[in-house]
Amino acid sequence: MGLYGMMRTSASGMAAQANRLGTVADNIANTSTTGYKRASTEFSSLVLESGGSEYVSGSVETHVRYGISEQGQFKFTTSVTDLAVQGNGFFVVTGADGQIFLTRAGSFVKDSDGNLVNAAGYNLMGYSLASGSPAPVANGTAGLEAVNIGNLALQSSPSTAGNLYVNLPSNATSVAAANLPSANAATSTYTAKSSLVAYDNLGNQVTLDVYATKTASNTWEIAVFDAAQAASGGGFPYASGPLATDTLSFDGTTGQLASASPTSLTIPVPNGASLTLDMSESSQLAADFTVLGAAVNGTAPSEVSKVEVAADGTLYAVFENGTRVATYQIPLANVASPDNLQPLAGNVFTPGVDSGDIQIGFAGSGGLGKVVSSALEQSTVDLASELTTMIESERNYTANSKVFQTGAELMDVLVNLKR
């Protein structure tokens, strides 16, 4: 039993070192693989019960471990869809069969369908923001869909808010009610006029003529007309009445809007949305009519020029006119024991009994790291350490083989005793 046991023990030692060399070979081959987590081999002894007069040699067991939680260094690139995770967490990706995996390999590019796909062919998953802020399922992947940047076409947005801050001359002459702009008569008279550009639902520009007319001491009528309806050569009468009218009242002592005065005007933009025009910072002072500030939101049709990814995983479509629209929220996933995830081909991981179930959240919250755009996480393999391990394993393998050879020679001596 002793000689056979010795040979079996040395054979297990050679097998263990062969396993170790296998992980070294894998690590060296993936030195330049984005997001690769190095494998290592740990050994444990298997001791058999020995008798009082005979020693029974045992063997060695091999355990392969993966340093999945180890942070790799970043290599920065010029592509905004190259993504890395700084800290805890993994990108959620899916294969052709729809199965969900985790990965740190974030070299995503747009495929022929517009989906973001990494080098192994896995689709990046995210929450669409088309219907507002998402509510992720913490312990599941419901609601996730492939992040697609190919269907971001022309886009326009109607005007919904704006401001017009003006100074109205306090010494202006009051206009009779019959001649106010709201009457929309040929004899309509006004104190001051300004125009604003807004956008309808289709992105067409709509010019709004805003008339300010003094009706009495500290009292002003604000009337808004569609400039497209103006009479030939411009002005009154318009083909249709005012889109909106209201009366502002001022404090004669301070020249600011009175507390009871309205501070905004709601204007129904033709073929558009309701535009709320803020006038709260307007004044009535002894000076000429002056526009202090004017702005209206909304955009004309524009194409997507690029995309951007924020640290919280929000993917923005940036249009040629400078508008930035949030389209997807890219979540991060984690498990209780990342180092016990099961690695699969394509540099992806899947949870198992030892790792715990997937928990999903957004970058920067719940202990998750942040998303870094234009960066790739490099392999965690240290080439010098792997070469050292390779030499050590080679020497150990040779030593175990010598033990095996010695046992074989002793076995020959034992067999030849009968001669």
Side-chain angles (χ1 to χ4, degrees):
M1 180 63 184
L3 290 179
Y4 284 115
M6 178 181 67
M7 295 174 68
R8 290 193 183 100
T9 299
S10 59
S12 73
M14 287 188 286
Q17 296 303 323
N19 287 332
R20 192 182 189 190
L21 284 170
T23 60
V24 170
D26 239 359
N27 290 340
I28 293 176
N30 287 280
T31 302
S32 301
T33 301
T34 299
Y36 177 79
K37 303 300 181 178
R38 67 181 182 87
S40 61
T41 305
E42 303 293 336
F43 304 124
S44 62
S45 60
L46 178 61
V47 179
L48 301 180
E49 185 176 353
S50 300
S53 61
E54 182 183 11
Y55 180 80
V56 180
S57 60
S59 61
V60 58
E61 291 184 330
T62 305
H63 304 276
V64 179
R65 295 181 177 177
Y66 297 89
I68 299 175
S69 60
E70 184 178 349
Q71 176 75 58
Q73 294 183 345
F74 289 164
K75 178 178 70 175
F76 293 94
T77 70
T78 58
S79 173
V80 296
T81 57
D82 281 341
L83 305 177
V85 178
Q86 183 177 354
N88 297 324
F90 301 82
F91 295 114
V92 182
V93 295
T94 182
D97 58 357
Q99 185 177 355
I100 294 294
F101 300 101
L102 307 181
T103 188
R104 299 273 287 204
S107 55
F108 297 104
V109 296
K110 184 175 70 172
D111 67 5
S112 58
D113 296 323
N115 296 323
L116 287 182
V117 180
N118 69 7
Y122 291 98
N123 292 330
L124 176 65
M125 304 297 286
Y127 294 101
S128 174
L129 299 180
S131 300
S133 298
V137 178
N139 62 344
T141 58
L144 287 173
E145 61 182 64
V147 176
N148 188 293
I149 61 174
N151 56 7
L152 301 177
L154 287 172
Q155 186 178 67
S156 64
S157 57
S159 298
T160 57
N163 63 71
L164 179 63
Y165 305 137
V166 297
N167 178 70
L168 302 173
S170 60
N171 54 4
T173 303
S174 299
V175 176
N179 295 328
L180 290 174
S182 57
N184 193 25
T187 58
S188 294
T189 305
Y190 57 89
T191 306
K193 174 189 175 184
S194 184
S195 295
L196 296 172
V197 172
Y199 296 92
D200 67 10
N201 293 329
L202 301 179
N204 295 309
Q205 287 190 3
V206 178
T207 302
L208 304 175
D209 290 338
V210 183
Y211 294 93
T213 309
K214 188 174 184 179
T215 59
S217 178
N218 302 321
T219 305
W220 293 76
E221 178 192 81
I222 306 297
V224 182
F225 290 82
D226 181 2
Q229 301 294 320
S232 179
F236 296 97
Y238 286 77
S240 58
L243 298 172
T245 60
D246 212 337
T247 301
L248 303 182
S249 57
F250 291 86
D251 186 325
T253 303
T254 63
Q256 304 304 310
L257 284 172
S259 58
S261 173
T263 58
S264 63
L265 191 65
T266 300
I267 307 165
V269 178
N271 193 36
S274 293
L275 166 62
T276 301
L277 191 65
D278 179 24
M279 300 191 71
S280 60
E281 296 183 22
S282 295
S283 60
Q284 178 194 251
L285 301 173
D288 294 337
F289 173 79
T290 306
V291 176
L292 304 174
V296 177
N297 68 356
T299 58
S302 178
E303 292 184 351
V304 176
S305 61
K306 61 180 180 178
V307 296
E308 295 178 352
V309 181
D312 65 353
T314 304
L315 187 148
Y316 294 90
V318 182
F319 292 84
E320 291 178 339
N321 58 14
T323 304
R324 183 177 284 99
V325 178
T327 57
Y328 287 95
Q329 180 100 33
I330 300 170
L332 295 179
N334 206 1
V335 294
S337 179
D339 288 339
N340 283 314
L341 286 168
Q342 299 174 9
L344 299 175
N347 209 10
V348 296
F349 309 99
T350 185
V353 175
D354 295 331
S355 68
D357 294 329
I358 293 176
Q359 294 182 341
I360 293 181
F362 292 131
S365 63
L368 295 172
K370 68 177 183 178
V371 177
V372 181
S373 179
S374 298
L376 295 174
E377 184 177 1
Q378 295 181 290
S379 170
T380 57
V381 174
D382 178 38
L383 189 57
S385 296
E386 297 303 323
L387 293 175
T388 301
T389 301
M390 181 174 63
I391 296 171
E392 181 184 350
S393 295
E394 181 186 5
R395 294 290 184 266
N396 290 340
Y397 191 98
T398 301
N400 279 283
S401 69
K402 293 294 184 183
V403 173
F404 189 91
Q405 290 173 1
T406 300
E409 291 171 359
L410 292 176
M411 187 65 68
D412 287 340
V413 172
L414 181 62
V415 170
N416 292 328
L417 284 177
K418 72 173 186 176
R419 295 180 182 177

